[in-house]
Amino acid sequence: MKTFFIETWGCQMNELDSQRLSGGLKLRGYKRVDDERAASLILLNTCSIRDKAEQKVFSRLGELRELKKETAAQIGVCGCLAQQEGQRIIDRAPWVDFVMGPGNVGYLDEILAGEHRVALEFPEDRRYDYDALDRTSATKAWVTIIEGCNKNCTFCIVPTTRGREVSRPFEGVLQEVRAAVATGRVEIELLGQTVNAYRCPQSGRDFGALLSAVAEVEGVNRLRFMTSHPAEVSDSMIVAMRDHANISRYLHLPVQSGSSRVLRRMKRLYSREKYLETIGRIRAAIPEIHFSTDVIVGFPGETDEDFEQTMSLVEEVRFGSMFAFKYSPRPGTPALKIGEPVDDAIASERLTRLFELQERHKRERLESYRGRVVPVLYEGPSRHDPEMLSGRTDDNWVVNFRGDARVPLGSMLGVRIEQAQHHTLRGEAVA
Ligand code: 5AD
């Protein structure tokens, strides 16, 4: 019996690639196992966005060396670290059987046949085997609409690891959405590294047009997307969001820094003013929107004054959520040659101050739901307390609530919010 075990790091694109790998392997007669000791094939689907992610993979590979002595499992390294390091992974860990980059997920036959020990090409068609997707959620489907990235942010490894942008044809996306809905997936999340740069290669239709078309597919009760680039926010995208009640009132819009000087050095293609103007335009159309963002602190040459600009931008926008990271040098990126590194202790202090500010804004936002009845898409039992049900609001907050577990998964329920917790809301379903 051929069996496989797969471990996934990183972003949703990688999670989806794992679903594709898993589906593809099942189609080829493999059975998925949760215990790596029982696997004849072990896949590590890796991330290389920051150095930490990379270190974890190499320490895992050390453990797998021992396991392989006992089980003789085949070991494959996939994902962004695979793309970044290629042959060097095998040089460092010769017990790895193959290395395949994200462009090769659709080419399992060739890989498993041992035709490529190191597969790093980006075939134009990327061969999407959508029928073979092994979706892990019963209510939600991720759908890739664009792969790769044509931006050249100076800190970022993604253009190297995921290749140039390729959008999928509009009709192919719609077909996949309809097929997902037919299997009970009432929530669709469109994915891309720069999702809102989407443009149909055949008809030229843009992201706004695609959003509207997907929102209008019968049975799509909630539509989300990730990740948007601030310089690609178009009026058609804003109008589509405004005019379709089933498009989530949530927008992740990574700002990275509040200083125009730093943004220029990052090559983000917008200034502080332009970013704020974009936020204003979206808020004017959709006042209740929940904004979240990513911030990098300690980018080379970031001064106290630059950082204060980030603090003041965050104060002005009042993001509901934020992911903030210390700058991590990535191999081959232009930022390696820019400016003086920021002292690690200073970067840590900046990060702490930023989180404190952000916590206040999150708290304010979460507290504002207390006493209100909000629509919640029911996803299943709560992760931490099986007595409770769990779902998400329209603006992407997790709600844990008391209610009747017999209602079908994917139902839209009214929940009265009683309490704001650290990152989530708590309440009770109402009739
Ligand atoms: N160092 C730190 N953070 C990074 N990110 C991307 N590259 C780096 C890097 N070299 C962050 C950005 C991005 C998020 C996914 O990861 O904030 O939006």
Side-chain angles (χ1 to χ4, degrees):
M1 178 74 167
K2 294 184 288 186
T3 52
F4 72 99
F5 173 86
I6 185 164
E7 191 165 331
T8 312
W9 285 272
C11 64
Q12 280 103 331
M13 300 288 273
N14 233 26
E15 296 278 352
L16 181 62
D17 283 346
S18 285
Q19 295 187 359
R20 289 176 66 197
L21 288 164
S22 173
L25 287 167
K26 286 184 178 174
L27 209 64
R28 289 164 178 79
Y30 283 76
K31 182 172 171 273
R32 183 168 185 157
V33 292
D34 295 327
D35 176 7
E36 65 196 46
R37 312 191 67 80
S40 55
L41 171 65
I42 297 178
L43 294 179
L44 301 184
N45 195 4
T46 63
C47 170
S48 68
I49 194 80
R50 284 170 294 275
D51 187 55
K52 225 187 230 157
E54 191 174 322
Q55 295 319 319
K56 277 189 229 159
V57 175
F58 281 106
S59 85
R60 265 303 266 151
L61 282 175
E63 293 167 14
L64 293 181
R65 176 187 206 171
E66 297 311 307
L67 184 71
K68 188 171 179 163
K69 286 181 189 155
E70 293 167 39
T71 68
Q74 201 183 6
I75 297 175
V77 179
C78 326
C80 288
L81 187 69
Q83 189 70 31
Q84 178 191 303
E85 294 298 312
Q87 177 66 36
R88 282 193 297 272
I89 293 185
I90 295 182
D91 295 345
R92 221 172 127 175
W95 55 95
V96 168
D97 295 279
F98 61 86
V99 171
M100 60 182 276
N104 289 275
V105 173
Y107 291 79
L108 268 178
D109 286 325
E110 291 85 336
I111 308 275
L112 293 171
E115 286 173 26
H116 308 281
R117 253 198 115 189
V118 179
L120 305 177
E121 317 71 49
F122 282 100
E124 196 62 16
D125 71 345
R126 315 251 168 130
R127 206 187 293 172
Y128 300 102
D129 289 332
Y130 289 107
D131 295 342
L133 259 176
D134 187 16
R135 300 202 188 275
T136 43
S137 162
T139 57
K140 170 176 165 174
W142 283 318
V143 177
T144 298
I145 63 166
I146 177 171
E147 293 206 313
C149 184
N150 285 0
K151 302 283 181 289
N152 292 300
C153 302
T154 53
F155 53 81
C156 191
I157 193 74
V158 168
T160 316
T161 59
R162 295 245 162 207
R164 305 284 297 167
E165 264 173 17
V166 181
S167 289
R168 276 178 75 190
F170 205 91
E171 292 307 327
V173 172
L174 287 180
Q175 263 169 30
E176 191 185 338
V177 168
R178 287 191 206 102
V181 170
T183 61
R185 272 68 181 215
V186 292
E187 177 173 345
I188 301 292
E189 183 162 359
L190 305 179
L191 294 186
Q193 234 73 46
T194 42
V195 75
N196 57 337
Y198 175 84
R199 195 161 280 275
C200 173
Q202 289 147 1
S203 63
R205 279 174 288 182
D206 71 357
F207 181 62
L210 183 66
L211 265 187
S212 297
V214 173
E216 285 159 22
V217 169
E218 181 80 28
V220 172
N221 294 345
R222 182 166 291 163
L223 173 56
R224 302 205 282 151
F225 51 92
M226 184 83 108
T227 293
S228 299
H229 190 288
E232 301 277 358
V233 174
S234 64
D235 287 336
S236 77
M237 164 180 165
I238 299 175
V239 167
M241 291 179 75
R242 183 196 65 195
D243 292 349
H244 293 90
N246 56 347
I247 302 184
S248 181
R249 265 55 190 135
Y250 170 76
L251 187 61
H252 184 60
L253 205 60
V255 67
Q256 314 298 4
S257 169
S259 154
S260 292
R261 196 184 72 90
V262 173
L263 289 168
R264 228 174 10 252
R265 291 150 62 97
M266 290 177 164
K267 286 227 172 89
R268 285 293 287 174
L269 310 178
Y270 53 84
S271 60
R272 170 195 178 91
E273 292 69 32
K274 186 80 183 83
Y275 184 89
L276 288 171
E277 192 241 322
T278 302
I279 293 278
R281 248 189 322 142
I282 301 167
R283 271 206 174 121
I286 312 156
E288 71 281 19
I289 195 155
H290 166 192
F291 283 113
S292 77
T293 200
D294 291 342
V295 174
I296 296 177
V297 303
F299 185 76
E302 182 188 72
T303 62
D304 284 341
E305 203 184 324
D306 290 322
F307 178 68
E308 293 313 323
Q309 295 261 310
T310 297
M311 291 289 281
S312 78
L313 181 135
V314 167
E315 184 68 53
E316 195 166 332
V317 178
R318 308 186 97 73
F319 297 99
S321 326
M322 174 190 294
F323 304 88
F325 316 91
K326 270 195 262 183
Y327 168 71
S328 167
R330 302 285 66 216
T333 53
L336 295 178
K337 301 198 188 81
I338 297 178
E340 280 294 294
V342 172
D343 181 80
D344 190 60
I346 293 179
S348 297
E349 199 184 298
R350 288 179 186 164
L351 197 60
T352 305
R353 279 185 59 207
L354 187 61
F355 279 137
E356 279 168 10
L357 178 63
Q358 160 58 22
E359 274 306 309
R360 287 214 299 280
H361 299 157
K362 171 180 278 179
R363 192 108 304 269
E364 270 169 27
R365 173 109 191 182
L366 285 171
E367 289 293 341
S368 75
Y369 297 88
R370 202 194 281 267
R372 279 166 55 192
V373 174
V374 296
V376 169
L377 196 150
Y378 169 45
E379 291 173 33
S382 156
R383 252 197 284 169
H384 301 295
D385 179 357
E387 298 289 286
M388 302 280 280
L389 312 184
S390 185
R392 273 171 203 264
T393 65
D394 178 38
D395 55 351
N396 205 30
W397 295 104
V398 171
V399 184
N400 295 309
F401 57 98
R402 296 184 304 283
D404 182 351
R406 288 165 303 183
V407 297
L409 292 182
S411 303
M412 203 66 88
L413 305 174
V415 174
R416 184 182 311 281
I417 304 300
E418 295 160 345
Q419 218 183 340
Q421 298 194 295
H422 202 53
H423 305 288
T424 60
L425 297 165
R426 208 179 158 90
E428 177 164 26
V430 296

